[in-house]
Amino acid sequence: MIKNVTVLGLLSLMLWSCAKKDEDPFATIRPEESRFTKITLVEKLNEPMEIEVLDNFDVLFIERAGKIRKYVSESGQIEEIGFLDVYSQAEDGLLGLARDPKFAQNQWIYLYYSPVGELEINRLSRFTLVDGLLDKSTEKIMLEVPVFRGCCHSGGSLEFDSKGNLFLSMGDDSTPFESDNYNPIDERVGRPGNVDAQKTAGNSNDLRGSIIRITPQPDGTYTIPEGNLFPVGTPNTRPEIYVKGNRNPFRIGIDQRNGNLFWGEVGPDASVDSLRRGPKGHDEFNLATKPGYFGWPYFVGNNKAYWKYDFEKQESLFEFDPAAPKNTSPNSTGIEILPPATPALIWYPYDESVEFPMLGTGGRNAMAGPVYYRGDYEASDVRFPGYFDGKGIFYDWMRNWIFTVTLTEDFQYDTMERFMPSTVFDKPVDMQFAKDGSLYVLEYGTFWSSQNDDSGIYRIEFASGNRKPSVQASADKLIGATPLTVNFSSEGTTDFDPGDQLSYTWDFGNGEKSNEPNPAFVFSKPGVFPIKLTVKDKEGASAEANLEVKVGNEAPKVEIDWKANKSFYFGPESVSYQVNVSDVEDGVIDPSRVNFSIDYLEGGYDLIQIGHQQEQIHPGESYITQAGCKACHAIEKESVGPNYTEVSKKYANQTDAKTYLAGKIINGGGGVWGERVMPGHPQLEADQVDKMVDFILGIANPNSKGSALPLSGQFKLDKIQNQEGYYLIQAAYEDKGANGIGPQKTFIQLNLRNSLVRASSANQLQDVAKANGPQFQFVKFTAKDAWIKFENLDLTGISSLELALNPGNTKGKLQVRVGSPDGKLIGETAALSKEDRPKNVEGQYFPVNMKLTVVQDFQDLYIVFQPESEVSIWNTFNMNTIKFIR
């Protein structure tokens, strides 16, 4: 009897333990962001594209230039396991990776890549890993797709479903630049092969512009599963196609429970709707619960229709019908009447989306991730909660956000929520859940077609109970001469569990350690030292942060002594200046090695972006960016047209190069670099074109900068009429390096803007709306204590402000404060209403002068609204411009 009770007791205890282990306090409650920890596994990758997380938590990943690599979980190191010789220009290269569903037994992986050689194809192949390394002799070529090399929209995402079917996405292989960034449907004879997407995305007999679904076989071939878009044997179709009508389905995801296919569709670039061409560009998040045609190149978004356009006559003929899309292009080899177009699940343009405003504004590059089900993963301490069950992951490579999307029972859009909104993601490009329910995120890094130091693989863990510390590490110096004293700080490190006690361990990379939260350490020998801060809570949970300190070479000191206000220009005047440079190791400075320039930019240049530059800005490059030239020409990489480095080398020794290239920019032309014709830019000013050409020619010959300014003297500020114009004053010096530490460069910049400033150009706004008009941009104060902020303005010598105001139907005063919205008060208007408008002032706004208390140096300036009557978004106090007066 006692034994039976013991057995029953043990059984009860086991059942209770299992139930306890599977408890999910966040099954229906949204967890706060602090319960997620983003852990860095490895960084500084070279254009990483896709990942596969293995059962031992090693991570296979590919890089576009051809490498197959593995992150080894146990050691934290990278192993090089293979390389394919690929054509990696434009958007081609090593693009897609998937492991076989039986990888543990057969070690098969699938790669989609662009092989080098004369054949213009992309290829899907199966390879075997032998002793952990890619054995090229095992390649089984499954599929080859003819492409137009050097173009665009290659796609390449690979994913298996739970039934062993392999999905592969392919873009439309068509350029957007020959059709004014609307739909490329140029049917003219003799045109390049990449200007008509009806040949690819609209062609039922071409695999480009589609997502295919096939079933790989053990012998390296494939079969067609039941239920694709076109049954086997249908004339003028490809049976592999599951989804058709794609522009650039760059990243796809599969719901492993029901087989639903998700993908992000990178959309066209037109920024405005055209009455006779069609809608502006939208990116899409799409869902296919069954095979279908998804609209491109005839529709975008929720089936917004493009026009049939005759490129020869430049006439719009008719709008396409989503119920019966018709492809009559002579370049198509497929069926004429396509299936009805399926609208996108979510769609959004460059500007704010009416339907989905939470997605924000800016560049677009939609992508799809996995669908999560808690029950599909091991019961672990890091497994995501049931709150995310059935939610798909939707993210944007350009906007650096991640959303989770909830669907209705019949798979219609319901809601979406931002995931980890305060966490930094640098161009997320792929993600996958590991077997323990943690999320692995692959980040491409900031710049396209570049090796980015901020690229990497990261693991996101969830904690339903005790949370790991959130670690911040900083230092007052990261480089300097020997000996170097560095003050380290853990300020910002937190633990979100009440009452947790934290312990700190600093590893200084030379065998020395400290357990102080904020230690000072003297590096007595030169070298590069990896610094690691480990923080542990009382439960033993720990997290890390890393720094790097370089000892042995002090960075140069560069100063621009500008004898006038350092933020504004006010009128024609000459200003004295002196550039001062010193360097501990270099000693006497050679003036010829100091780069100093003063340039005037006509306008349209974003002052906020100028302020974050780490290299000298050439005004010519700025004008190239403004004119949109970088859409077709890159500095070094291949693009639609020749890159600027090639152009610079070609004309480096041609005596009339500047005149010749200026003519090409203004008038356009072709035939030098192939068949593509570059459109002219007659709208550009001659001075702007001259600076553009100077920049291009200076790439191959950086010393051909013309007459450099002396490092001291006087400069005449005489271009003052353009309200949007800027003077850009820059100085830089790179030392020679010392003690094994490479050269260090110091760069300093002043930006002089017109003293008449648009209120809407403020760096930050709180409870203030921007109202865009055809001739002005003003701001609307909508609440008490609403404010606008201008960052880092030199207020030296500024005695007053002249504000252009329209109080509307409300009444209130404006205050000027420095440092914060409730900082030191340096100026204030009287309480103003529309009754205060002077009788002799016409127009919507009237001027109000405000005296300022004298303030020196650079300050953050706030203009704060204090109402004395009702104010709301419908009843606002308005300001157009601010004039800074000496």
Side-chain angles (χ1 to χ4, degrees), residues 199 261 371 454 473 497 513 744:
K199 178 182 179 179
L261 168 67
V371 179
D454 56 0
D497 297 309
K513 295 184 178 182
Q744 301 299 314

Side-chain angles (χ1 to χ4, degrees), residues 478-498:
L478 293 176
I479 189 167
T482 310
L484 180 66
T485 300
V486 180
N487 295 301
F488 292 97
S489 173
S490 61
E491 183 179 355
T493 297
T494 57
D495 192 294
F496 294 97
D497 297 309

